[in-house]
Amino acid sequence: MPRPSVLVLLPALALAAGTCAAATAPVFGSVVAIGGTASDIALDEKNGLLYIADFGSNTIDILSVSDNTIHSSLNVAPNPGSIALSPGSQYLLIAHYGNGTTSPQGSNIVTSIHLADNSRQIFNLTNPPLAVAFTGNGQAIVVTTTNVLTMDPASGQTTVLTSFANLANTIPVAPATFPGQILQAALSTSADGNTVWGIGSANTGTQMIYRYNARAGSIAALIYTSSPSLLARVSSSADGSTAMIGYSLLNAGGYIQGRYPNVLPSANITGAAVDSAHNTIYGQFPDTFQPTGPPGSAGGSQTPSLLIMDADNLTVRDRITMPEDMTGHALLNSAGTMLYAISESGVMILPVGSLNNYHRLLSSQEDIFVATNFCSGGVLSQSLTITDPGGGQTDFSISAGGQAGVTISPSSGTTPGKVTVRVDPTVFSAAGTTAVMLNLSSGTAVNHPAAVRLVVNKPDPSQHGTVIDQPGLLTDILPDAARNRIYILRQDKNEVLVFDATSQTLIATFRTATTPTMMSLTRDQNFLLVGHDNSQLVTVYDLNALAEVTPIVLPGGHYARSIAASNAATLVLARNEANGTGTVDTINFASGVATALPSLGVYQNKVLQTGVLTASPGGGNVLLASPDGNLMLYTAAANSFVASRADLQALSGAFAASDFNTYVVGNTAFDASLVPTGSLSPPSGPSSGFVFTGQGGYLASAVSSSSPGLLEQLSSLQNGVTSSVSMSEAPLLPTVISSSSGSTGTGGTGSGSSTTSGSVSAMSFTRTVAPFPSAGTVAVLTTSGFTMMSASYPNVPPPVVSGLVSAADGNASVAPGEWVSIYGSNLSPAVMAGGQLPLATSLGDACLMANGAPLPLLFVSPGQVNAQLPYSIQGSVTLSVHTPTGVSSNFLFTVQPAAPSVFLAGIAGSETGLATIFRADNGQLVTPTNPIHPKDWVTIYLTGMGPTSPAAIEGHAAPSSPLASAAIQPEVTLGGVPLTVSYAGLVPGEVGVYQINAYVPTGVPGGLTVPLAINQGGATTSVPLRVVTK
Amino acid sequence: MRVLTVSIFAMCATAAFGQQWEFGAVGGGSFLNSVPASGATAGFSPGFVAGAFVSQRLGSHFSGEMRYEFFQSDLRLAGGGQTATFAGNAHAVHYDVAYRFNNSESRAQFYAAVGGGIKLFRGTGTEEAFQPLSQYGYFTKTQEMKPLVSAGGGFTYRLSERLALRAEVRDFMSPFPTQVLTPAPGVKFGSFLNDIVPTVGIEYVH
């Protein structure tokens, strides 16, 4: 429901008398019922009119866009199936479909109405006209059942551009058949008037796609086989470089740039309009969230939703509830503010430019991740902000669906609203991860807000690894040891996420085409290749420049499912939509295209589309594994497939090839001839991922996605497991692949692809392990995102704490909230750095407690841990360190009310360990070559200033409004001369880091080592600085 | 700069008591020595000099001369194959006594001069947290005044009754300005600067 807005309500009130409100739930937009069946629309922005062709009533209804009311109608010849307005709104051209078998029926004519005087001319055509459009030069394009014509709207003179048969249904047709189903053709002209895109034989599965270049007078066409079939809907981009045709995004290069994923067949529901100025496509495509037929039919109970998508890869930004389904042509006004679409009752009017005036809901985050550790077993809480993207006040409710152990407070409210989610870990089963969906709803919001995933990770002390929460559907992982990066495919957002392997921070995001499936590095390791299940492209990224470069185009109907780079060729296993099988293509990087191999050695190039490819680390071999048990081997030496076997009934899960002519698929090892040599038999369940390191490797497995995972290290396939480590949560596991064709089958985890083999469902292949040998770590795709494991967890004694000092300057005096360094032995089984806020209280399997409170951790290693003290502790404090090998003895220390310590972490050239004091004059560190001058402002960064007002929370970013000021005000002197302090408190956005802003008066003494002293409640610290007096 | 201004006025007041006056301007180069700096050298890059003077004849052979010079020369550190510089300049005001070897009627006159005054050294570059060769010394954006001893000689050549050319070489000797180019802890700079300044000029005889 729109918020009370005069602009919005006025037309709504006006519509109340003459239009129907199709739904009582909050909906966006309105419907104008025409009392017939709309077959096409044309917008006359110059005169504020929308022409609506009524196929059955033989009229052209004229709707005023100022009040969205039909004021008049033109009676025309029978069966107006398509209409078009010439530039400047001079002519209205109407194509009448007369292809009938019984009387009465129409004639094969085109009516040209000169709108200035309403004079009409009727032009007879030899064949039934199906669609009409105008180019920018005033020439009409007419598609008939046999050819494509140009037509002069004044004289009716036609010229045949090209001839090919377009299918169309003969009338009369069965009841409840929409005009689009009869005509099966549509055209759309680009805003610049230079390009006309079209489709013929729509809804047949083998469609003809046209692209007419008005400047060259040439037409190009391609046969596009798809399943489900494309309906007769076309919307061109402004410059004609792309067009949305049915659910596919076609590129002027003649390839499929993207397809809306997981489309379900529908006879009449589809519509789209491209808004190039805003990089947006609006549309409706039937899927599991949308109706596939009219109300009452299968899927008809779903709510029609307007999809708001990115124009390059169809990533869905939002779903908006519409009053009706789109059943025909959709178009936008030139400003992109009003969307008009043929709908079930007539025409739907969607004020997309005013979306911010409608109630919507949005969560501030996609995931909430809570993890217990040995130090924090109590109730955990995290906050979440619910907003209205338009900035309005919208009612909301949020529910965990009755999940025990989860409470949300408040569970309803008005945006913007902050809710706190509390999790009682004791209710959840130990040793694993449980995901709970928190559903958002509203009585007034018109959008479908995405549910928030609550992930509860509750490992027991024997489990290892640091879990990094990463929302979304993650389907592949690759290590880049040379650049110390992890590449992860996020399929639902069409992205490659680039993480730093040490800090696990996101350093870059690559946009991909639609539905990325799997990745591969080129042999020179300089480029990343990404295949897509709904794009004909393999996108390519320069890893040194962190930028996308020219993509590779696959043959028509081929969609890359898996890629492997060998020393001789880069192979692509593509889903071949033309025959429903898989085809192996080879990439030619010079020409930027891939071509199908004529054969796979002595074998037919016809494999399961759900198979996967993987290359050996040295690039000598490529293994092709299929869910039906087939294995094929390609060698770079022969530049051909040399072996094929099928010893097993089915294969799934892990897949890997070594440089030693050994292979792993699922739980089975294979030799150089692909003969099974033994089972890896992971004791915890199906394999999730395997990666070779030499002759051995790492194997990840789990019983279920909510159980602990298992990471095993093998010195060789023959010697078996040499070490076995329980993981904090399960790696992604193979999933049952849905049976469908066309654009389906990518909804599973891992590199899932789709097929069924007879009545037996196939399971997906998964790649989840990425080792970093030099760092001694392994990244594993897991339930919550990914988990960083140490490569080895040797048996070590319990931790021992030997000392605790300020992390800033090594001073033994510490205060609440201060960053401290704890020294000792066996403090953590791994070296790990944290960074995500709020900071975790468990890192690298270590956690620390001070007087019973867990400490936020920034860095852990066997000999040193950097942690933040709680703000709540003072006086005598007991510290203990907990690791999987045991608990340290208590370490006693004293926490002062304040203990200011300036960070000695500044770097200037080769000089390190400098006090972090900056001159405002040039924003640089104070050093002997950048000394303090009288009248300078300086900023001092330090820790240990104690409690703040308002109170800060340890591990959390400090607030920016209001600022958290130090409760005990400091006095700052330079050479004994007091400085004026304008602010002393936490740095907004930082954890436990304070700053003092101070002014240096004239009269300070000069020298190379003038003491800058900070006195806070009797606690002092001093750093020597160079001061110049002139 | 206030000290400098007062000095110039004082110079003009003194000169006003003479009987024959010469006014002139000079320009030339400034070539300072570098002082040792614990394995490196510290000093100034060669630069240019511009100045003015007022001279009073005090007899057939002696004259007294008030001079002002502006020196444009960057601060400089060099060591280990590296060189670092920092923008700088200096102002000098001094009074010299000149002895002319020829009689006053001679068209060409050679002379020797010696005197003293002050020199104001100024660092004018942009300070940075990191400066190359900072292990030897620190360039500083500040100013420092040092005493100056001037000695040298040259000749004048009369072009007309009132106009003469002048060419000379002087050595301006001053203590090293350690506030402007400060030795790093543990580093010792040489204590004396010699600034060899060859100039040519023109003078008007009144």
Side-chain angles (χ1 to χ4, degrees), chain B residues 12 20-21 25 31 34 42 62 64 78 81 90 95 100 102 111 118-119 121 140-141 145 150 160 164 169 182 200:
Chain B
C12 295
Q20 183 178 348
W21 297 90
F31 301 92
S34 289
F62 284 95
Y95 184 83
R100 295 173 187 261
N102 309 88
Y111 64 89
I118 53 170
K119 189 172 183 181
F121 292 91
T140 309
K141 189 176 182 180
M145 191 175 292
S150 163
S160 65
V169 176
T182 306
V200 294

Side-chain angles (χ1 to χ4, degrees), chain A residues 911 919 924 927 929 933 1026, chain B residues 127-129 131 134 140 182:
Chain A
E911 296 175 45
R919 289 178 65 197
Q924 296 190 28
T927 65
T929 58
H933 293 251
R1026 185 180 175 213
Chain B
E127 290 171 329
E128 303 277 354
Q131 169 214 302
S134 60
T140 309
T182 306

Side-chain angles (χ1 to χ4, degrees), chain A residues 365-371 382 433-435 452-457 466-472 474 488 490 497 499 504-506 729 780 782-788 836-837 840:
Chain A
Q365 56 202 79
E366 297 177 83
D367 267 11
I368 294 177
F369 178 75
V370 293
Q382 292 225 5
T433 295
T434 305
V452 178
R453 185 178 70 152
L454 168 65
V455 184
V456 183
N457 176 230
T466 298
V467 178
I468 289 88
D469 176 49
Q470 174 56 55
L474 311 181
I488 294 176
R490 182 174 179 182
L497 308 171
F499 288 90
Q504 296 93 50
T505 52
L506 184 68
E729 65 176 17
V780 184
T782 53
T783 305
S784 303
F786 65 100
T787 299
M788 290 304 294
Q836 277 194 327
L837 298 182

Side-chain angles (χ1 to χ4, degrees), chain A residues 483-498:
Chain A
R483 298 174 184 83
N484 196 40
R485 295 177 190 158
I486 306 168
Y487 304 112
I488 294 176
L489 264 191
R490 182 174 179 182
Q491 193 177 76
D492 59 323
K493 293 290 185 186
N494 300 320
E495 291 173 339
V496 176
L497 308 171
V498 183

Side-chain angles (χ1 to χ4, degrees), chain A residues 99-116:
Chain A
N99 190 22
T101 58
T102 60
S103 180
Q105 59 182 270
S107 305
N108 298 330
I109 59 171
V110 171
T111 301
S112 176
I113 303 177
H114 189 254
L115 293 173

Side-chain angles (χ1 to χ4, degrees), chain B residues 16-74:
Chain B
F17 289 104
Q19 294 176 341
Q20 183 178 348
W21 297 90
E22 293 168 0
F23 305 91
V26 294
S30 169
F31 301 92
L32 291 89
N33 69 318
S34 289
V35 301
S38 300
T41 59
F44 295 80
S45 302
F48 73 87
V49 173
F53 62 87
V54 176
S55 179
Q56 178 192 21
R57 281 297 178 96
L58 301 174
S60 58
H61 288 281
F62 284 95
S63 62
E65 192 168 284
M66 281 302 295
R67 293 175 65 113
Y68 162 78
E69 281 100 6
F70 170 77
F71 302 82
Q72 178 63 59
S73 52
D74 293 345

